[in-house]
Amino acid sequence: MDEKSGGRRTRDNIRIYSPADFAGMHAAGRVAAEILDEIAPLVFPGQTTAEIDRVITEKVQAKGSTSATIGYKGYQHASCISVNHVVCHGIPGDKVLKDGDILNIDVTVIVDGWFGDTSRMYVAGKLSRKAERLIQVTHDALMKGIEAVKPGNTFGDIGAAIQTYVEANRMSVVRDFCGHGLGRVFHAPPNVLHYGRAGLGPVLEEGMFFTIEPMVNLGRPETKVLSDDWTAVARDKSLSAQFEHSIGVTADGYDIFTLSPAGKFYPTWG
């Protein structure tokens, strides 16, 4: 889905937003991040992903926002909850969390027409050492990708920073899904790859808004989508983790719209 309203676009069809537009993205990003802060106590062994999503749905409404995912291409939930080897787009349901399960919870809200999109990792019960390391590497890879954001750099610089770090830690970056432009729509150009070669791809300009959301597998990078047409899993059933921020390019770097107001983006179980 692409934006049809005004604003300058680059030759790669990437919209350039005005300085005034950053406030709208901060408002939307803060609501999404607040919700993820507030649901942390709901993640525990014996809990169902459906109950977590029910509370998220209530919080979206209570904060005067709208869920971007309910009704999106037929999806009927206010969150995606991806457990263990589910890479992304896990559908909330009757699944009961077990001790040691790790899960990514992804929420997108609309506030005054602006989209706030973020996800982070949680653990039910006791975190295993290998899962902790996967989560740490994934979080740090996201931040290394964000640190590559500044005018004059390229989207290839973002992907290369993430891929280099992940593979140095003997893990793999998922290739089948990517970040995306957003603003007054959910998805717009560019596709933000989490792998690639430095110096390649569109050049970053002040006023671009997009997500960076690397998915990292302990095993191989290949995924498959299940028969529900949503749930993507690691083909080798290895553990997978993901973190996501929405950001804007500033004159000298970046602005993160989805910072955790409570400082719980990582670790969320502390």
Side-chain angles (χ1 to χ4, degrees), residues 97-266:
L97 297 176
K98 303 187 300 297
D99 186 50
D101 280 349
I102 63 171
L103 52 155
N104 175 273
I105 303 180
D106 190 337
V107 170
T108 308
V109 299
I110 310 168
V111 177
D112 294 329
W114 296 98
F115 284 69
D117 187 3
T118 185
S119 80
R120 64 180 82 153
M121 295 301 295
Y122 301 79
V123 63
K126 183 175 175 57
L127 185 65
S128 72
R129 180 66 188 96
K130 68 177 183 178
E132 182 178 20
R133 184 166 174 271
L134 169 66
I135 291 168
Q136 183 72 61
V137 167
T138 306
H139 172 270
D140 293 350
L142 166 64
M143 299 315 296
K144 287 183 180 298
I146 291 174
E147 288 164 7
V149 174
K150 65 178 181 180
N153 278 4
T154 70
F155 281 94
D157 294 331
I158 298 172
I162 293 169
Q163 180 183 6
T164 299
Y165 182 76
V166 169
E167 293 180 353
N169 281 278
R170 304 177 68 83
M171 300 177 194
S172 62
V173 177
V174 170
R175 264 66 163 181
D176 297 334
F177 302 93
C178 61
H180 53 89
L182 82 170
R184 286 195 172 276
V185 295
F186 198 170
H187 297 100
N191 289 333
V192 183
L193 304 183
H194 305 117
Y195 61 95
R197 291 178 58 188
L200 297 183
V203 175
L204 295 162
E205 295 185 37
E206 182 181 0
M208 289 180 172
F209 295 166
F210 51 85
T211 70
I212 305 177
E213 47 184 297
M215 288 143 272
V216 176
N217 293 349
L218 268 180
R220 294 187 55 82
E222 292 84 8
T223 68
K224 66 177 179 180
V225 177
L226 302 184
S227 59
D228 60 27
D229 292 329
W230 284 104
T231 308
V233 301
R235 195 171 281 275
D236 64 3
K237 297 186 178 180
S238 62
L239 283 179
S240 187
Q242 179 187 21
F243 284 88
E244 175 184 16
H245 270 317
S246 297
I247 69 169
V249 184
T250 64
D252 57 0
Y254 58 85
D255 190 0
I256 301 175
F257 300 131
T258 46
L259 289 173
S260 163
K264 293 183 178 180
F265 188 70
Y266 178 87

Side-chain angles (χ1 to χ4, degrees), residues 44-65:
F44 53 81
Q47 178 68 284
T48 66
T49 55
E51 176 60 15
I52 297 171
D53 182 72
R54 184 191 67 78
V55 175
I56 290 171
T57 304
E58 290 183 349
K59 288 182 177 295
V60 170
Q61 296 170 347
K63 293 176 183 293
S65 59

